[in-house]
Amino acid sequence: MPSTSPGAPTTFAQVLPGAPTAALQALATLLFRHKRYVAYTSGCQLSILSSPTTLVQALTFPEALVSIAADSHTGKLIVAGKRNVYVLEPATEGWARVWWERTLALRRQDVGDEARCLNWGSEGEVLVGGSRQLSLFSTLSSSRTSSPAASPVDGEAVEGRTPLWAKSVASPLQYAAFSPSASLIATCGVYDRLVKIWRRLSFEEGLFDHTYLSHPGSVTHLEWRPLSEHVAERRGSGISGRQEEDAEVLYTMANDGKLRVWRTVGLHDLDILTLHTVVDLVSAIPPSLTLPPNGTRQNAKPTRYAFTIPSDNFCGAVTAVTRRPRAGKVSHSLEHLKEVASKTPDVVVTMDAHGHMSAWGLQSIGHKRRPGTPGSKEAFHITHAEGLSLELLEHTNATYQAWFDGASFHILAHGFAGVVNWWQGDVETFFSPSAAGPERLANVAAWSGHSTNVTDLRTTNGGTRLLSRSNDGDIVCWNRTAEGQLRRAATSHNASVWEATEELEKVELEFHAETGLDSPILRAANTEVAALASSNGKQLVIVDLQAGYVEHRETFVEHIRHLRCSSSAPTQNFLAVGFDDSVNILVQGRYEPDDAMATWLTVKKILITDLGVSVLAVEWLRDGALALALGNGIALSDNSVIVEHMNTALQQTLNLESTEVAVVALPELARQLKQPLPVWHPSFLSQLVRHGKLPTALDLLPKILAKLKFWSEGEELSPLLGQSPEEVMSDSRQQGPLSKDLVDDLREQLEEKRLPAISVANQKQLGRVVEALAYVAEHIGGLDKHALCYLFNWKLQLLHMAEDEAKPINAQPNTLSHPSEKPRLPQMHWREIAFAYHSTTQQPLLDILTLHYDNKLTWDITRSLGITAWLADKEALEQVLESLAQSAYRQSSPPDPSSAALYFLALHKKSTLMGLWRIATWHREQRSTLNFLKRDFSLPESRTAAKKNAYALMGKRRFEYAAAFFLLADDAASAVSLLAGQCDDTMLAIAVARLYGGDGSPVVRKLLEDRLMPRATTDGDRWLMSWCNAVLLQRQEAAQALVQPLEGIRISLQDDPATLVLYRDLRKSSSKYEYEALLRAARILRRTGIWLLALNLIRTWEFRHDTGSGLQPEQRTEVNVTNGVTSEPPSVLDDYTQPSAAANEGNNSMLDSFASPEPVLDEKAAREAKAAELLKKLKAKKQGPPIMNAKKPEPTQFKEPDSNSLLDSFGF
């Protein structure tokens, strides 16, 4: 296994590695490096675990496994299928990491021999008992007889070994075991009554003498008692030379219900083993009055199970119990244990299938001394109990293994019904003479699963029951216990059971939006969200099914194998994304208006790296736990999320960074992520400004300060500052700037205290928002709400950039500075541009911006601020462009008239440009350019010459200068196309088009309709689309674009709720899309966490009824635009009836002040068009079939929806 794993495997809440093989040697334990490991076989899989819930490794073999044996001295394992036997050696990394690798393949001489049992001997010897032979192998490297021959096993090169000797057997072996000294071998066949003892006469050759141990019935179990831990010490100290070593003891059980103890005798005795004592396991447990009569057969023996505990292990556990602090209390159970341990007994624990247990002690069975002590051979009683959870089906085969870990007692029971149970208890309680049965042991694991790979998982019964299906078609039903554990309820081969669950799980993924994925290969959905994986399996897309938004898009390096959605409550969703060796759990959060945090957050990663199995399926359970199909089994990951593994910003937002909370339940985490934002959150204050509620935002600042002055970290702080929603959203503040003391005090509080429910980054942003609000408050009397919104966002960007520039840069000592680098500039979005375009205070806003830049506007500044797009007054725009022309002219030394040519020609000031060229005697192009400008460009030949020069300049990549020559040729369309295309300067193209032709001109219309409006449609940019319609003097279309539904791929940022603010000012009457747009805006505000603003929007919205003064179809005619300045026509909006002053307050626009070409009105053509339209409607009415008892259609006048229906849609 590779040692460079990305992370340690996850510890699961429950592990079900697979159904254990129904064989006597399917389970083994070993103590390696002071840690207990349990290994068992399941089909072709070997599972190794270190605790009830920790899977260390799972190895897959090419055939079903039938036996396993472990060697605690070396940590090696041997596993056998019927044809092949493999040796696995431990590999380590550090002290904690251990895994096993296949190193040897043991090849038997008889290819028809099927392996049945395994055992470790001394010095790396392996005994393989088969159906035909008993074979002995050596795993030591010194035992090679020739060069190692490697053979591939599952892609690994494994050395092959042949046996040292092989002996034929009369019948298939059921047991074959070395004695602890490896001098004896005990074998027994299936249903044999004789146990054959092989005494080795030579350790180099296969020479033996034999004896047989007779039993009255079939032998069901045999095992050797391990030697005392001090035997090896005595062997090395020479003590064993003065006396004989301890006897070797063999335990056998037969179907007569008795345990027989055999022990070796002296070297000079005739017998190899002699019977020491017999323990009647049936009579050891007295019959219970609560049990029904035993079976129907009169002579049938009751079922008994038993396991033995060596005296060294038992006495060591008693010693550990006595060392525990008692606080002066007397324990009768402890005194009883001390008395038992004083006899140094081996302990025999016998049980039945109904929870009855009895423990007995055997004295001195492994010692040479005191054989003649009176009663020393008889078993003595230790304890008896009823009501243990050790219940099995009557007459079910089972094997047991037990060990002590300090004062803890562990029992493993392998039931042949397909379960390995792990029980754990306290030594003092288990062997107590008076403890109740249920208190003695607790079941900590019930390992089960399938015998082949699990291919799919499904839930039924509301997520409380799990179904698993394997390769061979087996379907297992798992129930959840009260503790959240899975317990196998039934097994079925009926495919209809699975088909029924598939019908319940089918969800039609009818998306209302495209996802941008071609032929997604995986889909998962619930009622609210859907997840899809791309055809290459590396891109994930999550879609909101209700609104159609693409909420998350992520690309992975690994292939996505599995997707599963779940929900703990409405709007509380999470997703499992499964890969080959890991699973990511994502939780749905809030929409972040400024992309400060992703909508879907990865809060947990489940790793199975280096476990040897892959994730084959995943499925959610009801409480947020996740079941994973791993090989033949299932692993259950609980619903807890470790806090320290979360993103730091997420910890801070949830107030978990400085708390003692270690884990958070996944449903609770999903709930907290959807909580409304507190009023001090910077997003809340920013949205107030964007929705025209600047006074409300300013009114909150002194309230926040008043609370913070008397608040300490760790105390509760009300999200509404102790106010009602109406008080928070009230607008009671008098206009005027904020006091400097208030701003300074609030800044000081934010620097000293960490506010709850926001991250550190949010708190820094809050400080910038406070500064921006204080700045905007100084201009609240001179700017309208649209200009204030623009100014607020501009100032906020300035503060953010200033803070970034102030951060220390880890520069190298010899790093050269670059003072010539251009400073960063705020980049104003089309939202701010659209607001500023409809502002009635554009000139004061322009003065504020110009003053900030020391009255030196450059083109970079003008472009980033979008001035040429939002400045509607033509004279003001001309002044800006003339200033830019002068700046461009003087930007080089000596001045260069070619740099200013485009600006002057756009302003139709060719004479000014000629004057600059006359004095530019230093310019090498002065003479030729001056002579060319003297031409009359109203003549076709002069325009042709100008175009040729433009194309020549394009070949030299002087695109802006080429655009100037296109203007000389009166080809403004080519000039604008060149600026927007090759120059990629949309703002410059807009400036030239608007100044050269005027708003509504063919040049402007071509630029907008051919470039910007298609871009707005593709990008889903409502602001850009609205601005384009406004520039084209289409006010109602500009309003319509703000609420009309978008098509194609959509994200929540495209449906900005602030569009309703501008829409309310532009509308003449309510649009048919207005109702849905209002619901959409409220939904997004709620998903953003700004519930108060969503509620306020719904409550205060008024639908405007159609007054019959709607827009008439616009008449477009060609306009003859010359190289001169056209006269300004009246706006098409001037002909419409204006609403009352109260209804239209604040809705004034500066569209009418901008020049546009005068349309040529053809009254006759207009009348003919109107008559044709009426005739078309009459024909359609006549052709339509009559409808009997048809319901009268609703009037076309807009009907305002009931306010309650709006509030009910959002749970307000």
Side-chain angles (χ1 to χ4, degrees), residues 15-200:
V15 174
L16 302 166
T21 306
L24 293 172
Q25 270 194 296
L27 177 70
T29 67
L30 73 155
L31 187 65
F32 180 64
R33 303 179 83 182
H34 305 287
K35 191 171 187 179
R36 177 70 59 173
Y37 293 92
V38 179
Y40 77 89
T41 62
S42 171
C44 300
Q45 178 178 303
L46 172 66
S47 301
I48 305 173
L49 302 98
S50 60
S51 76
T53 58
T54 304
L55 178 64
V56 176
Q57 189 180 0
L59 294 94
T60 304
F61 294 83
E63 61 177 321
L65 303 177
V66 297
S67 182
I68 181 175
D71 183 13
S72 293
H73 297 289
T74 60
K76 293 182 180 181
L77 300 174
I78 46 174
V79 293
K82 290 184 177 181
R83 301 298 177 191
N84 299 289
V85 180
Y86 305 95
V87 177
L88 288 72
E89 294 188 12
T92 60
E93 182 181 273
W95 183 253
R97 175 150 166 70
V98 181
W99 68 94
W100 278 259
E101 297 176 343
R102 283 172 279 207
T103 56
L104 292 177
L106 307 183
R107 312 296 186 191
R108 283 161 291 158
Q109 295 175 349
D110 187 349
V111 295
D113 184 33
E114 295 182 357
R116 299 178 61 88
C117 49
L118 303 169
N119 193 247
W120 282 98
S122 63
E123 303 297 331
E125 291 180 332
V126 172
L127 192 64
V128 180
S131 60
R132 298 182 181 180
Q133 291 183 335
L134 178 66
S135 305
L136 180 68
F137 295 84
S138 175
T139 61
L140 300 179
S141 57
S142 58
S143 64
R144 293 173 180 164
T145 57
S146 61
S147 299
S151 59
V153 178
D154 290 347
E156 300 180 25
V158 178
E159 179 186 346
R161 288 288 177 88
T162 57
L164 299 179
W165 52 258
K167 302 294 182 178
S168 298
V169 294
S171 62
L173 294 179
Q174 181 170 260
Y175 290 100
F178 272 116
S179 66
S181 65
S183 61
L184 301 176
I185 300 175
T187 62
C188 181
V190 181
Y191 304 120
D192 278 358
R193 296 187 176 193
L194 298 176
V195 175
K196 185 176 182 180
I197 303 299
W198 309 54
R199 182 162 60 183
R200 302 174 73 172

Side-chain angles (χ1 to χ4, degrees), residues 1144-1163:
N1144 199 29
E1145 182 180 357
N1147 293 350
N1148 297 330
S1149 174
M1150 299 190 68
L1151 291 172
D1152 301 336
S1153 64
F1154 200 86
S1156 64
E1158 181 177 3
V1160 180
L1161 301 178
D1162 189 344
E1163 295 181 358

Side-chain angles (χ1 to χ4, degrees), residues 630-648:
L630 305 178
N632 295 0
I634 300 170
L636 185 64
S637 176
D638 61 20
N639 63 2
S640 63
V641 178
I642 300 177
V643 172
E644 64 179 1
H645 293 173
M646 293 183 189
N647 181 287
T648 303

Side-chain angles (χ1 to χ4, degrees), residues 549 593-594 683-693 785-786 789-790 792-793 829-836 838 1021-1023 1026 1038-1039 1041-1043 1052-1066 1077-1086 1088 1090 1093-1094 1097 1101:
Y549 298 130
D594 299 319
S683 296
F684 180 79
L685 296 173
S686 299
Q687 287 293 337
L688 287 178
V689 178
R690 290 164 186 162
H691 282 75
K693 296 187 176 297
K785 62 180 181 181
H786 296 329
C789 178
Y790 180 99
F792 172 78
N793 288 281
H829 185 263
W830 283 106
R831 174 183 59 198
E832 284 71 41
I833 293 174
F835 274 128
H838 294 284
D1021 194 335
R1022 299 177 183 274
W1023 300 104
S1026 176
L1042 295 170
V1043 295
S1052 60
L1053 293 178
Q1054 294 171 329
D1055 288 335
D1056 191 341
T1059 53
L1060 289 181
V1061 178
L1062 187 57
Y1063 165 78
R1064 181 156 42 187
D1065 293 345
L1066 294 181
L1078 182 62
L1079 296 180
R1080 183 171 59 241
R1083 185 183 299 114
I1084 292 177
L1085 286 172
R1086 189 185 65 173
T1088 310
I1090 309 176
L1093 194 54
L1097 180 66
W1101 188 267

Side-chain angles (χ1 to χ4, degrees), residues 655 677-685 700-701 704 707-708 711 716-722 750 754-758 762-763 765-767 769-770:
N655 299 329
L677 297 178
V679 296
W680 59 83
H681 198 284
S683 296
F684 180 79
L685 296 173
L700 282 173
L701 296 187
I704 295 173
K707 287 290 183 180
L708 291 183
W711 175 83
E716 184 180 356
L717 185 59
S718 169
L720 300 183
L721 303 178
L750 294 179
R754 272 278 291 114
L755 271 63
I758 61 175
N762 289 148
Q763 186 156 335
Q765 177 71 358
L766 175 60
V769 169
V770 171

Side-chain angles (χ1 to χ4, degrees), residues 253-259 278-288 294 299-306 350-352 356 358 360 384:
M253 290 178 60
N255 60 5
D256 62 347
K258 294 182 179 180
L259 172 71
V278 178
V279 179
D280 190 345
L281 302 178
V282 175
S283 61
I285 300 179
S288 175
N294 182 44
N299 298 326
K301 292 285 186 179
T303 304
R304 291 291 183 267
Y305 308 97
T350 180
M351 299 162 290
D352 63 8
H356 298 144
S358 182
W360 297 77
H384 175 80

Side-chain angles (χ1 to χ4, degrees), residues 450 452-458 466-478 492-499 501-502 616-617 629 631-632 634:
H450 293 261
T452 58
N453 282 348
V454 180
T455 58
D456 204 355
L457 298 172
R458 295 293 173 87
L466 180 69
L467 297 180
S468 58
R469 181 170 63 178
S470 63
N471 272 335
D472 56 7
D474 282 348
I475 299 174
V476 176
C477 177
W478 307 85
S492 171
H493 297 274
N494 190 356
S496 62
V497 177
W498 196 264
E499 292 171 359
T501 62
E502 288 180 338
L616 303 178
N632 295 0
I634 300 170

